[in-house]
Amino acid sequence: MPTLSRNTLALTVAASMTTAASLATIGAAQAGDSVDRSDWPGSITVATASQGGTYYVYGSGWANLIADELGISGGGEITGGPTQNMALVHSGDVALGLTTMGPADQALKGESPLAPGMKMDNVCALFPMYETPFSVAALSSSGIDSIDGIPDGARIGFGPAASTSDTYFPAILSELGVDYERRNGGWSDLGSQLQDGLIDVVAFAAGIPIPAVSQLEVQTGVNFIEFTEAQQEKIVDDFPVAPFTIPASTYSTLDHDLRAVSMWNFTIANCDLPEDFVYQVVKLSMENNDRMRDIHRSAANSVPENLKYNTVLPYHPGAVRWYEENGYNIDPSLTRQ
């Protein structure tokens, strides 16, 4: 290894310090000239889900947007999805994440399947993402075109273990009288298994359009299976979901609106993150919906008007500050004390 002279070393250090100072200046300009960044994290990780799902696309793109605009390093991390993300953010293993209201409620109450009895109460909400529709798909060649048409013992992929889909969809289908063999895996992997005939059905809970399904459409025929009105009503009565319609325009081969149910998703943060940092993250995300939609079109619903769909998690003080400055009221029961 070559030896640096003292002068060369001094110049190298000086150049490094100048570059660091320049980056800090750029970051301060991007985040607002008067922002004190002294307690900001040097890098951030966003907990997402498996590849092939909307969480991974949305979360990784959002992480890159934050990193680019606020002058810090960041990226998305593949995880098991909403349930694991609550645990990772609560513990501080990651700064930011994505979750669904059902798993969030379970985690806050100490009912998470990952850590029964542990109340994950160091997780704060930032902003609404979109609704997660629960939908079912099979290959056209299978002949399966309805919930009642799923044969006994069908091999059904429910997504990653402990994900929103895996937490709720098996119980939903059992409630509707479906007998199945449960399979788990990432959405891309399950899409490949469906195409290869290793499983019969995939039960998705993910933002639409689901990348793995869009890819399947290109490669083979897909049957989109909807709930009947009676089935939808029964699910809404028995589970923390709401009626939802998947528009025909969601997929290239879907020729009619699809009856489904859904659950809301929110971005989350460790509650100990600095208020000014979170304020800038929320400001960036809420004031640039066009750029959020460029990440994934489901972000059309990532707007302050949908704050009301979080009735579970307290909002981070930095988020509350931005909302109140912009005329949005936060329920006092959802403010961090």
Side-chain angles (χ1 to χ4, degrees), residues 58-232:
Y58 189 114
S60 297
W62 181 49
N64 292 335
L65 177 64
I66 294 169
D68 290 344
E69 292 300 316
L70 300 188
I72 61 176
S73 61
E77 179 174 314
I78 297 172
T79 71
T83 299
Q84 185 182 15
N85 294 350
M86 285 292 295
L88 291 170
V89 171
H90 168 76
S91 66
D93 288 337
V94 300
L96 306 172
L98 318 177
T99 197
T100 315
M101 289 295 96
D105 187 45
Q106 285 183 316
L108 281 175
K109 292 176 179 176
E111 298 172 356
S112 170
L114 294 181
M118 176 188 290
K119 293 186 177 181
M120 300 179 189
D121 55 5
N122 200 30
V123 179
C124 286
L126 297 185
F127 60 84
M129 293 169 57
Y130 54 81
E131 292 175 87
T132 287
F134 286 65
S135 56
V136 182
L139 297 185
S140 299
S141 58
S142 72
I144 301 172
D145 58 6
S146 68
I147 298 296
D148 291 339
I150 298 175
D152 287 347
R155 300 160 297 177
I156 300 181
F158 289 106
S163 63
T164 300
S165 184
D166 187 51
T167 300
Y168 291 96
F169 231 143
I172 287 173
L173 292 184
S174 292
E175 185 77 8
L176 298 180
V178 178
D179 175 73
Y180 54 82
E181 182 180 322
R182 187 173 184 162
R183 298 289 178 85
N184 292 114
W187 294 125
S188 291
D189 180 48
L190 290 175
S192 296
Q193 289 187 43
L194 185 67
Q195 187 173 0
D196 294 341
L198 300 176
I199 58 176
D200 306 296
V201 174
V202 178
F204 292 96
I208 54 175
I210 302 164
V213 176
S214 298
Q215 184 175 354
L216 270 177
E217 281 190 298
V218 174
Q219 299 169 336
T220 187
V222 177
N223 279 351
F224 298 94
I225 301 169
E226 66 179 338
F227 300 114
T228 65
E229 289 185 25
Q231 288 169 340
Q232 184 189 57

Side-chain angles (χ1 to χ4, degrees), residues 252-312:
S252 61
T253 59
L254 183 59
D255 59 6
H256 65 282
D257 292 346
L258 206 67
R259 192 182 299 107
V261 296
S262 69
M263 188 180 290
W264 268 91
N265 301 271
F266 273 69
T267 57
I268 53 176
N270 182 276
C271 296
D272 296 330
L273 283 174
E275 180 179 328
D276 279 345
F277 171 70
V278 171
Y279 173 87
Q280 294 296 338
V281 169
V282 173
K283 175 181 173 67
L284 171 65
S285 306
M286 293 293 92
E287 295 182 6
N288 294 278
N289 188 253
D290 55 337
R291 299 187 66 182
M292 295 292 288
R293 292 197 308 272
D294 286 343
I295 294 169
H296 195 279
R297 72 187 193 190
S298 65
N301 294 302
S302 300
V303 293
E305 288 75 14
N306 290 326
L307 290 171
K308 60 187 177 182
Y309 295 110
N310 168 35
T311 59
V312 175

